[in-house]
Amino acid sequence: MTTVSLIVPCYNESAALRPFMAELRRVLDTMADVKAEVIFVNDGSRDDTLSIIRELAQQEGVRYVSFSRNFGKEAAMLAGFSRASGDYAAVMDADLQDPPALLPELLKAVREEGYDCAGTRRVNRKGEPPIRSFFARCFYRLINMVSDTKLVDGARDYKLLCRPAVDALLSMPEVCRFSKGLYEWIGFRTKWIEFENVERIAGETKWSFRKLFSYSLEGIVAFTTAPLSLAAFLGLFFMVGAGVGIIFIIIRELVYHCSVGGWASLVCIILLLSGVQLFCLGIFGRYLSKTYLEVKRRPHFIVAEESPRSPE
Ligand code: UDP
Ligand code: MG
């Protein structure tokens, strides 16, 4: 019998958890030849998510891990993968935006069609604020332009991974994690299954614009060093420009004996160059800060409570 671990990161999901579990149970009941191990990860919720998870552990036999505070979805996913014992594992959002009904199709791809992994991809962003969709598209275009790791636009974290893929993910100890990139970086033959975007069943999104922006920067810093080369390129460009300018001024002085006028233009140039320098310093700083976070080797999360290790 195939065992599948389903990892559900939860942060303030008290309203969504019971409908989620009911839908998941309905789908699992149709899959007689599959043994599911459901692992809820409570990511420091402030509402009664944890008590609902404890109840589900009693009633449905699910497992859970509860963090000492909010560590973010990436840490919750990692905790889930580290606890997963199935032949396959998948992360599923608690708000039913990752439809459990796709599970049979995902499993068919890995069991019958010879794929190692099966990922899901939403084909539209219906119900999402247009400005968020616009920036998301720009992000995908930008990162695919500058990084060797190509990301699929609309790909969800809801992806069925085979055991070697899970082990590959666990072997990457980086603290600043960007799973969409890590999923692609590890490789493996993947079938993409497309679906229409579904709106969250209850509660609200935990991703503010600011959080998403910083997450996308995380992705760029983690998967390409192109911005560092950009700094060097800009420096070279302005150095050559300044060299040409200096030669021009010297020749003009020698030939026409006219001194350079216009301090305003000079100030503009100084400001422009200082801006470029600060911008480049900012890019270096971003990489340096990530390196600093990595070398500290702090744990990805701290577990406050956990269900017994042995599955039911
Ligand atoms: N989540 C989490 N920790 C966080 C933020 C979110 O575990 O700090 C979980 C959340 O409970 C949900 C999933 O990650 O199950 C996706 O979050 P959300 O639905 O808010 O994101 P969106 O679908 O709007 O991108
Ligand atoms: Mg969601």
Side-chain angles (χ1 to χ4, degrees):
M1 192 176 323
T2 314
T3 49
V4 180
S5 303
L6 298 169
I7 298 151
V8 192
C10 307
Y11 178 50
N12 296 344
E13 297 288 6
S14 57
L17 276 181
R18 285 203 179 87
F20 168 80
M21 194 63 220
E23 170 64 5
L24 182 61
R25 180 59 59 209
R26 188 190 67 75
V27 175
L28 291 177
D29 285 346
T30 64
M31 300 160 69
D33 56 342
V34 172
K35 185 171 186 297
E37 171 193 50
V38 183
I39 306 171
F40 282 97
V41 184
N42 173 38
D43 185 13
S45 303
R46 287 160 201 270
D47 61 2
D48 47 1
T49 296
L50 180 58
S51 51
I52 297 175
I53 291 178
R54 284 198 199 111
E55 273 171 35
L56 291 176
Q58 296 262 315
Q59 296 158 3
E60 304 270 352
V62 302
R63 292 174 57 193
Y64 68 91
V65 181
S66 182
F67 289 172
S68 59
R69 65 166 171 86
N70 179 249
F71 281 89
K73 186 182 175 188
E74 288 290 339
M77 287 164 64
L78 183 67
F81 282 127
S82 68
R83 271 41 178 197
S85 63
D87 306 318
Y88 296 96
V91 174
M92 224 183 227
D93 284 5
D95 55 8
L96 286 178
Q97 281 193 300
D98 293 330
L102 291 179
L103 265 180
E105 208 178 329
L106 292 172
L107 265 169
K108 185 164 166 257
V110 292
R111 289 202 298 187
E112 293 167 30
E113 297 170 20
Y115 289 94
D116 301 316
C117 304
T120 59
R121 189 181 159 247
R122 48 182 185 179
V123 281
N124 56 22
R125 292 174 171 268
K126 209 173 62 199
E128 200 181 68
I131 185 87
R132 185 167 153 170
S133 309
F134 171 75
F135 278 106
R137 287 220 174 80
C138 290
F139 165 72
Y140 279 108
R141 221 165 284 158
L142 177 71
I143 196 160
N144 284 337
M145 214 161 64
V146 294
S147 168
D148 291 337
T149 308
K150 302 293 173 211
L151 301 188
V152 179
D153 189 359
R156 304 280 303 170
D157 292 333
Y158 181 27
K159 183 173 182 182
L160 195 65
L161 301 166
C162 56
R163 178 47 49 188
V166 174
D167 291 341
L169 277 183
L170 290 173
S171 73
M172 289 189 272
E174 55 206 89
V175 176
C176 305
R177 297 183 81 83
F178 182 72
S179 281
K180 284 190 199 318
L182 296 179
Y183 275 5
E184 292 307 309
W185 190 88
I186 57 173
F188 293 101
R189 262 166 51 80
T190 299
K191 176 174 182 179
W192 289 101
I193 291 165
E194 301 187 338
F195 71 102
E196 295 265 326
N197 190 36
V198 193
E199 288 195 39
R200 161 183 263 291
I201 179 173
E204 52 195 48
T205 178
K206 312 298 176 312
W207 294 87
S208 60
F209 188 78
R210 190 183 59 79
K211 261 188 165 178
L212 272 179
F213 183 72
S214 124
Y215 187 59
S216 51
L217 283 186
E218 186 101 22
I220 291 173
V221 173
F223 281 93
T224 174
T225 49
L228 289 174
S229 321
L230 174 79
F233 173 77
L234 279 177
L236 197 70
F237 179 78
F238 280 101
M239 258 165 57
V240 172
V244 171
I246 290 168
I247 292 169
F248 171 76
I249 289 165
I250 292 174
I251 292 176
R252 194 167 67 166
E253 181 59 26
L254 290 178
V255 177
Y256 300 106
H257 303 291
C258 64
S259 57
V260 183
W263 63 272
S265 51
L266 202 64
V267 168
C268 290
I269 292 168
I270 291 173
L271 281 182
L272 174 74
L273 291 186
S274 324
V276 170
Q277 282 176 356
L278 284 178
F279 177 68
C280 295
L281 213 60
I283 295 177
F284 293 147
R286 195 84 205 176
Y287 280 88
L288 188 67
S289 66
K290 293 294 168 201
T291 314
Y292 175 60
L293 290 176
E294 295 294 342
V295 295
K296 280 201 281 192
R297 291 259 154 262
R298 284 194 183 154
H300 296 87
F301 50 83
I302 293 170
V303 175
E305 184 182 328
E306 184 164 3
S307 57
R309 274 243 165 186
S310 55
E312 8 72 82

